[in-house]
Amino acid sequence: MAAPGGGGLGEDARLDQETAQWLRWDKNFLTLEAVKRLIAEGNKEELGKCFGARMEFGTAGLRAAMGPGISRMNDLTIIQTTQGFCRYLEKQFSDLKQKGIVISFDARAHPSSGGSSRRFARLAATTFISQGIPVYLFSDITPTPFVVEALKPLEWRLRPLLCLKNFLAQPSRRWNEKALRKLLTFLIRKCILEF
């Protein structure tokens, strides 16, 4: 039986394909070694959880546990998602490279995978900067109300910026067109990219 979205591949073949691609692309030693260990142990159940389905946007952004695989928040999924978000913003805002984007983060962390809000914010900032987009990155843990307040003096210069509220959080939710429209409306109204 073919796996959903697997292009006709069986579940084991799709899982093998996903993990092989992960091993080529992941540069984080901790998540890379975690996947290698699961493969060596033959732990198909845990590999299935890590690579079962790619995270999707829900009404509050991307939500998933931190850890290895396409189903989790980690260095690779943050970079890939930020690249896609960057492409979307460039299409929506012709002055994005003049205005820039603001990024903040909170205290969430997952030491066993090396993931944290701070690390993900820096990876996202690096991704935007590599595309010529200015980034205003907060230097410390910043609650949302502080970020919004700090932006008021810069508002004339930074608009339109987008935000991704709670980009990183708990279990993922599936999205549909209505949820995506809601998220994009929310993004356009605010001016922060938060991890």
Side-chain angles (χ1 to χ4, degrees):
M1 178 174 184
L9 293 175
E11 186 60 29
D12 283 349
R14 189 196 63 77
L15 189 58
D16 290 345
Q17 184 179 10
E18 290 287 350
T19 56
Q21 188 175 59
W22 182 269
L23 294 173
R24 283 192 310 273
W25 290 351
D26 189 16
K27 302 302 178 204
N28 179 317
F29 177 79
L30 295 172
T31 51
L32 185 64
E33 288 303 310
V35 172
K36 286 179 180 178
R37 187 182 70 252
L38 292 172
I39 292 169
E41 294 168 355
N43 191 338
K44 294 278 187 185
E45 183 179 342
E46 191 59 30
L47 284 168
K49 290 177 185 176
C50 295
F51 294 95
R54 187 168 282 281
M55 290 180 298
E56 295 180 345
F57 278 97
T59 55
L62 284 179
R63 291 184 160 309
M66 288 188 220
I70 62 173
S71 300
R72 311 265 171 90
M73 301 295 290
N74 53 64
D75 293 3
L76 186 55
T77 57
I78 290 296
I79 292 167
Q80 290 173 333
T81 302
T82 304
Q83 288 170 337
F85 192 48
C86 184
R87 296 289 81 78
Y88 171 80
L89 294 178
E90 288 174 328
K91 289 178 184 174
Q92 299 302 310
F93 300 98
S94 59
D95 60 352
L96 181 66
K97 290 188 178 184
Q98 289 75 44
K99 302 280 186 173
I101 189 158
V102 173
I103 301 176
S104 69
F105 55 92
D106 61 27
R108 286 174 278 194
H110 187 254
S112 65
S113 70
S116 71
S117 266
R118 180 185 304 265
R119 180 177 177 87
F120 295 162
R122 289 177 176 165
L123 287 169
T126 302
T127 303
F128 279 111
I129 290 167
S130 75
Q131 299 302 306
I133 298 168
V135 172
Y136 301 88
L137 175 62
F138 278 76
S139 60
D140 207 350
I141 295 166
T142 311
T144 302
F146 287 33
V147 176
V148 173
E149 200 58 37
L151 290 176
K152 286 182 180 175
L154 295 174
E155 192 170 356
W156 64 273
R157 181 164 180 225
L158 298 177
R159 293 235 182 244
L161 291 175
L162 297 185
C163 80
L164 189 46
K165 176 84 173 97
N166 294 326
F167 191 68
L168 152 70
Q170 295 99 25
S172 88
R173 296 184 215 155
R174 298 191 84 62
W175 67 275
N176 57 34
E177 286 300 316
K178 184 178 178 186
L180 182 58
R181 278 195 308 277
K182 223 172 132 179
L183 171 66
L184 294 177
T185 300
F186 176 76
L187 293 173
I188 290 165
R189 268 189 278 150
K190 304 262 299 180
C191 16
I192 321 151
L193 175 58
E194 291 183 317
F195 287 89

